[in-house]
């Protein structure tokens, strides 16, 4: 549901994206729970299968705390950054310190904490970079790949946004340093099959063999 909120920004009406900003703030308790329960990570992670008006997981009694994370789409690492991207763009289109402090930064900060926490846990490649994953490349192949371009792009975006927001507010120097280290941990975009010989992104064409992209 995030796609419609790109349009108001390019039309210079960031106010029309306010419902998404509020939705993301309301979702924070569930995003934090999902990050901890699924990845044992700090911060906040959102899967593609997230719904409005779901209660705080702490108040839920079901086994999965009323959370739906459809496989494999619900485990796409880049979704957290993609969801938070609109909030940061809202700030860039409409700079407002109180709004940044109260509505934008709390979400962007938690997403950056998730990416830094996750990257720190990942195994390292031969160059000392994190092998970011396992994850799923949206609409391509199956679950279990690492260094998905979609994930790397939104992890970098979120970490840079959080650093810029912290600097603008004059707060969180130590977390910002951690986010810089996390950026350094992220590998380059893959241009060849992974260590297991599988393409990271597979283009599925009907009536044709799958081809690496």
């Amino acid at each position: 549901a995030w796609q419609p909120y790109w349009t108001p920004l390019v039309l210079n009406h960031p106010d029309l994206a306010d419902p998404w900003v509020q939705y993301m703030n309301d979702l924070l308790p569930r995003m934090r729970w999902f990050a901890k329960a699924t990845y044992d990570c700090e911060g906040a992670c959102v899967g593609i299968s997230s719904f409005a008006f779901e209660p705080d997981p702490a108040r839920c009694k079901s086994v999965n705390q009323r959370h739906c994370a459809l496989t494999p789409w619900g485990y796409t690492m880049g979704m957290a950054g993609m969801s938070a991207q609109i909030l940061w763009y809202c700030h860039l289109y409409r700079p407002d310190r109180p709004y940044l402090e109260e509505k934008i930064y709390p979400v962007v900060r938690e997403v950056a904490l998730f990416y830094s926490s996750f990257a720190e846990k990942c195994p390292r490649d031969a160059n000392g970079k994190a092998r970011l994953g396992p994850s799923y490349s949206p609409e391509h192949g199956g679950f279990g790949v690492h260094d998905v371009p979609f994930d790397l792009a939104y992890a970098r975006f979120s970490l840079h946004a959080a650093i810029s927001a912290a600097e603008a507010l004059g707060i969180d120097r130590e977390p910002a340093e951690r986010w810089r280290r996390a950026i350094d941990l992220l590998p380059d975009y893959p241009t060849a099959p992974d260590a297991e010989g599988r393409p990271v992104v597979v283009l599925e064409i009907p009536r044709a063999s799958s081809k690496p992209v």
Side-chain angles (χ1 to χ4, degrees):
W2 62 93
Q3 298 100 325
Y5 295 103
W6 282 323
T7 305
L9 300 174
V10 298
L11 297 177
N12 204 27
H13 275 283
D15 53 298
L16 297 180
D18 285 346
W20 183 261
V21 174
Q22 187 59 51
Y23 167 71
M24 289 294 291
N25 277 269
D26 292 343
L27 194 65
L28 267 181
R30 184 162 291 277
M31 291 168 63
R32 291 190 186 103
W33 171 84
F34 187 56
K36 182 64 177 177
T38 304
Y39 301 102
D40 192 26
C41 284
E42 303 165 62
C45 179
V46 57
I48 198 169
S49 309
S50 300
F51 302 97
F53 312 118
E54 288 289 355
D56 185 333
R59 305 202 317 266
C60 299
K61 296 181 179 180
S62 64
V63 174
N64 65 351
Q65 270 66 34
R66 288 176 58 103
H67 194 84
C68 178
L70 299 175
T71 306
W73 304 278
Y75 299 94
T76 303
M77 298 292 300
M79 279 302 307
M82 190 178 193
S83 300
Q85 179 191 54
I86 292 168
L87 278 73
W88 183 240
Y89 280 164
C90 280
H91 168 68
L92 296 181
Y93 276 89
R94 183 183 55 182
D96 180 274
R97 184 186 174 94
Y99 199 65
L100 172 64
E101 187 172 16
E102 296 169 13
K103 295 292 186 181
I104 305 298
Y105 186 58
V107 174
V108 172
R109 181 185 193 277
E110 291 294 309
V111 171
L113 280 175
F114 170 72
Y115 282 127
S116 57
S117 179
F118 188 85
E120 290 162 3
K121 291 175 180 289
C122 288
R124 303 292 188 261
D125 64 16
N127 297 314
K129 300 290 187 178
R131 293 190 65 237
L132 199 71
S135 185
Y136 169 70
S137 180
E139 315 304 334
H140 305 113
F143 176 79
V145 292
H146 294 71
D147 300 339
V148 173
F150 178 84
D151 300 342
L152 295 173
Y154 278 110
R156 284 193 176 93
F157 179 94
S158 302
L159 292 162
H160 281 294
I163 292 168
S164 296
E167 289 176 346
L169 294 171
I171 59 175
D172 281 347
R173 285 189 176 184
E174 289 187 12
E177 286 303 315
R178 183 183 182 188
W179 299 332
R180 290 187 179 92
R181 292 194 296 271
I183 291 170
D184 290 339
L185 272 178
L186 296 177
D188 294 332
Y189 295 111
T191 57
D194 65 16
E196 286 75 37
R198 297 178 300 177
V200 172
V201 179
V202 175
L203 179 62
E204 296 175 350
I205 306 174
R207 298 178 185 161
S209 60
S210 296
K211 298 178 181 179
V213 175

